Amino acid sequence: MERSEGGRLAPGLWVVATPIGNLGDLGRRAVETLAAADAVVCEDSRVTGMLLHRLGIERPLLVYNDHSAPRLRPELLRRLREGQALALVSDAGTPTISDPGYRLVREALDAGVTVRAVPGPCAPIAALSIAGLPTDRFLFAGFLPPRRAARRRELADLAGIRATLVLLESGARLAALLADAAELLGEREAVIAREITKLHEELRRGRLAELAAAVAAAPPPKGEIVVLIGPPARSPAEALAPAALDAALLEAAARLPPGRAAREVAAATGRPADELFRRLQELRRGATARVR
Ligand code: SAM
């Protein structure tokens, strides 16, 4: 691990991910960083105190949440400028991702403090990695507003985005979110990832409208949930004929290296970039097969 002379943890802000359910997911570097930090900056001292206790680590805890942040941030920045090593954690997962810490990180960077990541669990990324939806472009939108009108406005904004949408939601509001999404985003694939890495881990896949109906018909699901919604289907105008696709690829390849040409046409047409890259190579070799 990165240590300064004398074996201490190097000064700076260490942003440390912690498990989202299964303690076995805590990496060795995370444990070493927590054990060696001058203090651990956490959202809730009971949650982090319990984690450190289970690891046999005793470090001072400083509670940094939406309530205490404005008061505590200057004190944390002072400690960092003085050369302390502070570890930032949240209750679970990666700090700053729908969790406190963004302004602390930003102000630490602005103050010339070294900020390092100790990466690890992150519920939206874990859900995306197992959802079976396209991962080449995704948009993490966190929790949408709980009020219906504001939520629907946000969904309408997201409707035109050609990417898998990754949202967080509580069991109590899941049915309302899915109903609005089915109405405003149209026919799409969706996945509900619940209790990832925990005993009752569950993945439900289906069309958005089907999932919305199924969730509405049952009691609200318990536990923690990530909702993923696949990108919109391509409009007929964008579904280029093979010859037009070849022409677009060759035109882009005349200006750009092959990888960038394939990515540019992929972004414009919704076709997978790797498929287009292979087709470009075929075209360059003079093959006649068409991308289907
Ligand atoms: N920073 C955290 C991370 O990196 O995972 C996310 C914090 S956000 C406040 C907490 C939300 O993430 C939960 O309400 C739930 O929507 C989702 N979440 C957390 N743990 C989860 C799990 N094990 N399975 C599914 N969703 C989870």
Side-chain angles (χ1 to χ4, degrees):
M1 197 185 28
E2 303 84 338
R3 291 184 185 266
S4 56
E5 278 175 37
R8 283 187 61 232
L9 184 61
L13 181 61
W14 296 75
V15 180
V16 182
T18 57
I20 57 171
N22 188 325
L23 192 60
D25 292 333
L26 193 68
R28 196 174 73 190
R29 189 162 168 257
V31 176
E32 289 174 354
T33 304
L34 293 172
D38 291 306
V40 176
V41 180
C42 62
E43 263 186 287
D44 183 327
S45 56
R46 282 163 306 179
V47 175
T48 301
M50 183 73 76
L51 175 72
L52 296 190
H53 179 73
R54 290 172 78 178
L55 298 170
I57 292 173
E58 270 185 45
R59 299 312 303 145
L61 295 178
L62 300 168
V63 175
Y64 183 84
N65 52 31
D66 290 344
H67 183 65
S68 67
R71 182 171 38 80
L72 190 61
R73 202 160 43 243
E75 157 76 4
L76 297 178
L77 289 165
R78 183 187 61 72
R79 288 179 181 233
L80 289 166
R81 278 199 215 92
E82 283 174 5
Q84 288 199 12
L86 299 181
L88 172 69
V89 298
S90 52
D91 284 354
T94 300
T96 80
I97 307 300
S98 289
D99 270 338
Y102 151 73
R103 289 193 59 158
L104 177 62
V105 167
R106 188 180 169 93
E107 291 184 23
L109 291 170
D110 289 348
V113 168
T114 304
V115 179
R116 293 184 181 82
V118 183
C122 180
I125 295 296
L128 184 67
S129 73
I130 57 172
L133 292 172
T135 55
D136 51 343
R137 273 162 67 89
F138 64 89
L139 187 142
F140 173 60
F143 289 99
L144 296 189
R147 294 175 71 95
R148 183 162 185 263
R151 181 173 62 235
R152 289 171 69 88
R153 269 198 303 278
E154 294 246 347
L155 283 166
D157 273 356
L158 295 171
I161 293 174
R162 301 205 153 279
T164 293
L165 304 176
V166 185
L167 308 172
L168 304 177
E169 194 48 281
S170 68
R173 281 200 277 266
L174 182 64
L177 170 68
L178 292 175
D180 286 339
E183 189 185 325
L184 293 161
L185 304 182
E187 175 80 349
R188 298 198 194 183
E189 290 182 284
V191 175
I192 302 168
R194 196 171 68 86
E195 296 286 86
I196 305 167
T197 76
K198 301 188 202 176
L199 187 60
H200 298 292
E201 177 164 346
E202 179 190 50
L203 202 64
R204 291 172 77 181
R205 306 169 61 207
R207 311 300 304 175
L208 194 45
E210 289 163 11
L211 286 178
V215 170
K222 292 196 167 66
E224 300 196 280
I225 294 166
V226 180
V227 175
L228 305 104
I229 301 171
R234 284 173 299 130
S235 66
E238 288 164 311
L240 285 185
L245 202 55
D246 286 354
L249 272 173
L250 289 171
E251 188 281 319
R255 294 181 283 110
L256 298 169
R260 281 182 57 199
R263 285 200 295 280
E264 182 183 281
V265 178
T269 62
R271 303 297 290 253
D274 55 348
E275 179 190 309
L276 294 174
F277 183 76
R278 283 195 299 276
R279 177 60 188 159
L280 184 55
Q281 286 176 321
E282 281 176 6
L283 288 170
R284 291 183 140 189
R285 286 196 302 266
T288 52
R290 294 269 180 257
V291 178
R292 291 188 197 288

